[in-house]
Amino acid sequence: MAKVTLTTIAQRTGLSKFAVSRSLSGKDGVSEETRRRVQEVAAELGYARMGAEPELPALGVIFHDTDLVNSELYLLIQNGAQLEAEKLGYRLTMRWTHQPDEIQGIVRACRGAVLIGPHDRETFARLRALGKPIVRQGWLEPLEQADHVGGTDHEAGAAVANYLLALGHRRIVYVHGTPGFRGRVERFYGVREVLEKQADVGFREMKFHADTRFTEHLRAAHAEGFHPTAFFCAHDGLALTVVSELLRLGYRIPEDASVVGFGDYSAATQISPQLTTVKVFGQQVGAACVRLLDDRIQGRIPPDVPVRVQITSRIIERASCGPRSQVEAPILPVVG
């Protein structure tokens, strides 16, 4: 008679090995109904526990704890990683830290790890020395020999440019916000790549610093004769600021100006008009990180071939965008 294992019970119940293990060991993380169902099937199959059930292999998932701008994205990634790890029979060790010593200790105790965010070069060097599989979600150097899962920032910028052109807009601004975030720069490159080929299009980049407001940039543009009708913002938080400021200045949205965000986070549908934006599939990014790490652990990928995985974004159309109006938008007086 074949030996009854956790895998046998998982196949019979349609649950993951993780859920079966937690149910039989009395640990939390599963519902009472699931625990009862697993125990009944285990008894029916004659499963006998031989001492303590060995713990599932661990994967580390480490988030950079000072990158607060991306906190909502990181929570989506965390959820996707948890769900995928359960399916594949892993448990996760999660930390929010950027300390190299702490990260090295976590990874040493795991089969491999996912690093989320702008971790530094010292951290990567230490982890490479451990010889454990590492998957990154964050920006790499050109042709850096590392596995990576990310989005499609450059493509997204180009797609938004084409979208606004199709609506008839010919004076377009990219609202960049605080400099230093690589993804925002890639979106800018994507927009510029499309718009610089259009002879009749005016394009301007607005970079914010802590002491400079959006309205001051807009007044400066108007003073130079540049009157934008569309604003693509580097993230949804900036888009909310732009919508708020334009409404305060007497603009109608989208009649006088269209606004596009990036991310499709919760705030995008909590304003009026609701925000047209580019959706980033954070949960799928987290799941892809775990799948790629599992491929490394199981030896499905040649060890000398780094892999890049991209999760494609999507434009979500809502009420903040519309065709370019033939009516002149408000002209702001020059102050000072």
Side-chain angles (χ1 to χ4, degrees):
M1 181 176 180
K3 180 181 177 181
V4 178
T5 65
L6 294 182
T7 301
T8 310
I9 300 171
Q11 291 172 344
R12 176 66 68 89
T13 59
L15 299 168
S16 67
K17 287 175 63 178
F18 174 84
V20 170
S21 176
R22 305 295 284 190
S23 298
L24 293 175
S25 64
K27 296 180 180 178
D28 58 10
V30 294
S31 68
E32 286 305 314
E33 180 181 352
T34 296
R35 194 184 310 280
R36 177 185 55 77
R37 180 183 173 199
V38 168
Q39 290 171 346
E40 288 177 353
V41 171
E44 175 188 334
L45 294 173
Y47 174 75
R49 286 176 57 84
M50 300 299 293
E53 189 68 34
E55 281 197 305
L56 296 172
L59 303 179
V61 179
I62 302 157
F63 296 88
H64 197 287
D65 59 341
T66 65
D67 188 8
L68 300 180
V69 170
N70 290 307
S71 57
E72 189 167 351
L73 171 63
Y74 288 176
L75 289 175
L76 292 172
I77 291 174
Q78 175 179 314
N79 186 42
Q82 286 177 315
L83 292 173
E84 195 65 23
E86 180 177 326
K87 291 179 186 177
L88 296 175
Y90 294 99
R91 59 186 175 89
L92 293 187
T93 298
M94 291 201 187
R95 293 289 189 279
W96 292 71
T97 181
H98 66 282
Q99 299 297 330
D101 288 340
E102 185 177 0
I103 294 170
Q104 187 177 27
I106 294 166
V107 175
R108 185 178 282 116
C110 296
R111 295 287 303 277
V114 180
L115 264 64
I116 313 292
H119 294 279
D120 60 27
R121 314 310 300 175
E122 177 189 353
T123 299
F124 300 140
R126 289 195 188 189
L127 298 185
R128 280 194 296 271
L130 295 176
K132 301 287 185 77
I134 302 295
V135 171
R136 304 254 299 275
Q137 197 286 316
W139 287 97
L140 306 179
E141 295 300 320
L143 296 184
E144 184 173 348
Q145 300 298 287
D147 291 335
H148 180 267
V149 176
T152 48
D153 291 280
H154 189 102
E155 283 185 58
V160 169
N162 285 323
Y163 171 73
L164 293 173
L165 289 173
L167 289 173
H169 294 283
R170 292 298 182 272
R171 297 293 179 268
I172 297 171
V173 166
Y174 180 65
V175 184
H176 197 145
T178 304
F181 293 90
R182 176 76 174 272
R184 300 183 191 182
V185 174
E186 289 295 327
R187 289 163 223 156
F188 166 68
Y189 290 158
V191 173
R192 187 181 66 182
E193 179 180 274
V194 171
L195 297 185
E196 67 184 4
K197 298 175 184 176
Q198 309 294 321
D200 64 333
V201 170
F203 177 54
R204 189 178 182 114
E205 181 186 14
M206 289 187 180
K207 287 187 178 181
F208 284 7
H209 295 277
D211 57 349
T212 309
R213 294 180 57 182
F214 164 76
T215 303
E216 295 172 10
H217 278 279
L218 188 58
R219 289 188 189 279
H222 281 201
E224 296 172 12
F226 184 83
H227 303 285
T229 64
F231 300 83
F232 175 33
C233 304
H235 63 80
D236 286 348
L238 277 174
L240 266 60
T241 297
V242 170
V243 168
S244 176
E245 288 293 288
L246 289 175
L247 292 173
R248 184 180 66 81
L249 293 169
Y251 280 73
R252 299 168 302 157
I253 299 175
E255 292 84 358
D256 297 328
S258 290
V259 181
V260 182
F262 189 90
D264 196 30
Y265 303 127
S266 55
T269 56
Q270 295 171 359
I271 62 168
S272 181
Q274 292 190 348
L275 186 64
T276 294
T277 188
V278 179
K279 185 175 185 64
V280 176
F281 294 93
Q283 185 167 321
Q284 287 71 24
V285 169
C289 286
V290 171
R291 287 195 298 270
L292 179 52
L293 196 55
D294 180 59
D295 284 340
R296 281 291 178 209
I297 292 169
Q298 302 301 329
R300 301 187 190 102
I301 304 172
D304 59 342
V305 180
V307 172
R308 305 282 197 265
V309 176
Q310 287 189 317
I311 307 298
T312 307
S313 300
R314 179 184 304 158
I315 294 176
I316 305 297
E317 296 187 69
R318 298 194 181 99
S320 69
C321 278
R324 181 177 68 87
S325 174
Q326 300 304 313
V327 179
E328 191 71 33
I331 304 298
L332 303 183
V334 178
V335 177

